[in-house]
Amino acid sequence: MNSETELAPAVASILEAARERAGDVDAQLAVDAQSLPDAIAGAEADGRVPVIAEVKPTSPTADGTRDDDPVELAQAMVDGGATAISVLTEPSHFGGSPAALTRVREAVDVPVLRKDFVVREDQLDVVEADLLLLIVRFVDDLEALITATRERGFQPLVEVHDRAELETALEAGADIIGVNNRDLGRLEVDLETFESVAPHVPDDVTLIAESGISSPADVRRMREAGADALLVGSAIMDHSGGDSDVTENTRQLVDAGDGDDQT
């Protein structure tokens, strides 16, 4: 794990809270997960850009909050063509909860990702999901945590930011990798991050572009650089207070492969 002195204060606070958050040491989950690679292939066959749409009430980088029911948001995203749904379960900084994820997973028929800051094995057993995020920068023994994740039936989505973290992920056996365009040290977003890392990812790895994707042009740029799918939160949620149409926000990105830039 990289030095915490390099983390932005907001991220350091998130990490500290994650380390203090209790998991479940009394039970081990057994998850019957829907396959994300299969869902991506299905979207491709339907002519849709595979988008993992994120239910994110707020974040340290958001302009505000959305208090909509998580299930209604998720269903609206699926109506807009989302291939999968990501649900924040981090409570202190993102307004998420495991209960929200459970409700969403019961309501939609697509894979659901648990988006949180998991640093220990006992934190895996908090809630069932199809996928679970592991951030290379925050994990001490990535290989062991990937193994423990798969033992429960989860598909681990392993997040990296640069080539060094990519090598760590590959050596640990990751086969679904997300490249975060956001630098956790400065909280700045640069789509060139994905473009610099993607060429070094093996073809048999499912590759996801994360953060900073806000327009059909961004979608096409990431797809041209090799993204199998895109993880999009803020551009779909729109925390600006205008209560924008989540279905339409999703659809604009899902349909971006046709070259019709609507933004």
Side-chain angles (χ1 to χ4, degrees):
M1 185 171 60
N2 291 346
S3 171
E4 293 171 33
T5 60
E6 300 173 2
L7 296 175
V11 179
S13 176
I14 292 168
L15 180 56
E16 181 181 1
R19 286 177 168 160
E20 294 176 352
R21 197 176 310 127
D24 189 337
V25 297
D26 297 323
Q28 179 173 313
L29 293 177
V31 178
D32 183 14
Q34 289 195 59
S35 167
L36 178 65
D38 287 353
I40 290 173
E44 297 270 16
D46 291 341
R48 291 180 285 127
V49 174
V51 171
I52 304 169
E54 189 160 88
V55 177
K56 180 168 65 172
T58 189
S59 81
T61 59
D63 294 329
T65 63
R66 285 195 69 155
D67 297 322
D68 311 57
D69 182 83
V71 170
E72 293 179 2
L73 287 169
Q75 290 173 328
M77 293 166 178
V78 172
D79 289 344
T83 296
I85 299 295
S86 170
V87 180
L88 264 297
T89 58
E90 200 281 341
S92 303
H93 301 79
F94 293 86
S97 73
L101 186 149
T102 296
R103 292 180 58 230
V104 167
R105 191 165 182 255
E106 291 172 349
V108 300
D109 189 24
V110 298
V112 176
L113 164 70
R114 178 187 172 197
K115 183 85 173 289
D116 207 328
F117 300 83
V118 173
V119 296
R120 300 188 312 273
E121 182 175 347
D122 65 291
Q123 294 173 329
L124 301 175
D125 296 308
V126 170
V127 63
E128 293 189 9
D130 301 288
L131 299 107
L132 191 143
L133 180 71
L134 300 177
I135 302 174
V136 168
R137 188 165 187 167
F138 291 171
V139 174
D140 291 319
D141 189 342
L142 182 63
E143 184 173 2
L145 202 53
I146 286 176
T147 297
T149 300
R150 288 177 174 151
E151 286 174 349
R152 290 156 170 79
F154 295 111
Q155 300 160 89
L157 166 55
V158 180
E159 179 179 295
V160 307
H161 179 68
D162 56 30
R163 283 193 58 189
E165 292 182 358
L166 172 64
E167 290 305 314
T168 298
L170 293 173
E171 290 172 3
D175 58 7
I176 304 176
I177 290 178
V179 179
N180 191 348
N181 288 309
R182 188 182 303 280
D183 180 350
L184 297 181
R186 299 187 300 274
L187 294 182
E188 296 174 355
V189 174
D190 186 349
L191 297 185
E192 290 185 4
T193 301
F194 182 87
E195 292 168 328
S196 69
V197 174
H200 307 283
V201 178
D203 292 339
D204 59 351
V205 169
T206 299
L207 182 59
I208 299 168
E210 304 175 5
S211 297
I213 301 154
S214 59
S215 69
D218 293 338
V219 169
R220 290 191 288 274
R221 178 176 172 182
M222 294 292 92
R223 291 281 279 170
E224 289 168 2
D228 295 308
L230 314 166
L231 176 60
V232 184
S234 296
I236 291 175
M237 288 290 294
D238 186 5
H239 299 95
S240 62
D243 294 327
S244 65
D245 189 331
V246 168
T247 297
E248 182 57 29
N249 293 346
T250 305
R251 185 175 290 121
Q252 285 196 7
L253 303 181
V254 166
D255 292 342
D258 64 12
D260 182 15
D261 195 331
Q262 302 176 50
T263 63

